[in-house]
Amino acid sequence: MITAWTTADRPTRELREAAQAAAAAQGLAYYERGRYSLAKLSEQHGVAIWLVAGRNGVEAVRGAARYRFQLNMAELRIREWERSGTDIPANLVAEFAPQRILDCTFGKGSDAAVLAYTLPAAQVTGLECSPALYAVNAWGLQHFRHPRNDRITAALRRIRLLPEEAGAYLQRCASAEFDVVCLDFMFRSSVRQSTNLDSFRPFASRGELTPELLAAARHVARRAVILKTRPQSPWLREEGITKTVGGKYSRVHYGVWICENE
């Protein structure tokens, strides 16, 4: 599936140059917008996904689907954590007092944003192998400014996002390179009564958890691997799992593997 950069209508010189530089950094093509619609440009160049640089940021476009960087659930979770000190994944990670956290499945960035906010002393690294999601999220982390909470803005700036596929990246890491490794492949299956991922799915990669990837994560994690999954997931019965967290009627459970790598 071909992804390429262009600009919104009537771009400034600075905007055009920024889009060209971003395309070059990702190894993607850049096409002048001119007076053409994105549909016409797709016909001309065979591009399925456009990264459109505009005055208000970067937007990924695939047909009728559009994706822009937004805090969405991350902001709601941060508000709840401020009010009650409760956020299950953030509290699970905090148990291990990590200095280095790896989010192998960055996606919309909600988990990484909450972790960076609730654990300001930790370095949060995210991996995103979809060129479209990487481009939109990288822009958001660098440029999004929260209108009322400077600490959220600061948390976003501390996140390091890499254009990497989790399995390949983990294979290159040393043992115990990160304190906690987080995995979440839940976007591959729909959650009924929720449309939170509808704008996200057309741009996401279709990777999945494998025994090899889990083994690599357990090698790289010094303290723990934390998996977000469905309550009925067979991964929660995997050998070596230390504990599971999730309510009886919860649609989300977490599996924790304690690691003792040094």
Side-chain angles (χ1 to χ4, degrees), residues 30-42:
Y30 167 84
Y31 296 104
E32 290 290 346
R33 180 68 177 266
R35 296 180 179 273
Y36 295 114
S37 67
L38 292 179
K40 187 64 176 179
L41 282 181
S42 292

Side-chain angles (χ1 to χ4, degrees), residues 73-75 77-78 81 87 90 109-119:
M73 286 301 299
E75 183 165 12
R77 288 169 57 186
I78 286 170
W81 184 84
D87 184 87
S110 294
D111 286 335
V114 174
L115 290 171
Y117 187 89
T118 59
L119 297 166

Side-chain angles (χ1 to χ4, degrees), residues 8-9 19 22 29 56-57 68 73 76 100 114 136 142 176 181 199 218 225 248:
D9 295 334
N56 296 318
R68 300 179 67 91
M73 286 301 299
L76 296 177
R100 300 158 298 168
V114 174
V136 172
Q142 294 172 13
V181 175
S199 65
R218 294 176 67 181
V225 172
K248 180 177 179 180

Side-chain angles (χ1 to χ4, degrees), residues 166-226:
Y169 183 81
L170 288 169
Q171 290 295 331
R172 300 199 306 272
C173 288
S175 176
E177 187 161 333
F178 292 89
D179 296 309
V180 175
V181 175
C182 301
L183 303 168
D184 174 7
F185 292 91
M186 284 183 59
F187 72 86
R188 299 187 72 252
S189 56
S190 298
V191 178
R192 285 184 294 181
Q193 302 177 342
S194 173
T195 59
N196 188 45
L197 297 177
D198 287 353
S199 65
F200 164 80
R201 292 184 190 279
F203 307 99
S205 67
R206 298 300 172 185
E208 62 183 4
L209 183 60
T210 64
E212 293 77 17
L213 196 154
L214 178 59
R218 294 176 67 181
H219 176 73
V220 170
R222 187 175 72 88
R223 299 294 309 279
V225 172
I226 299 175

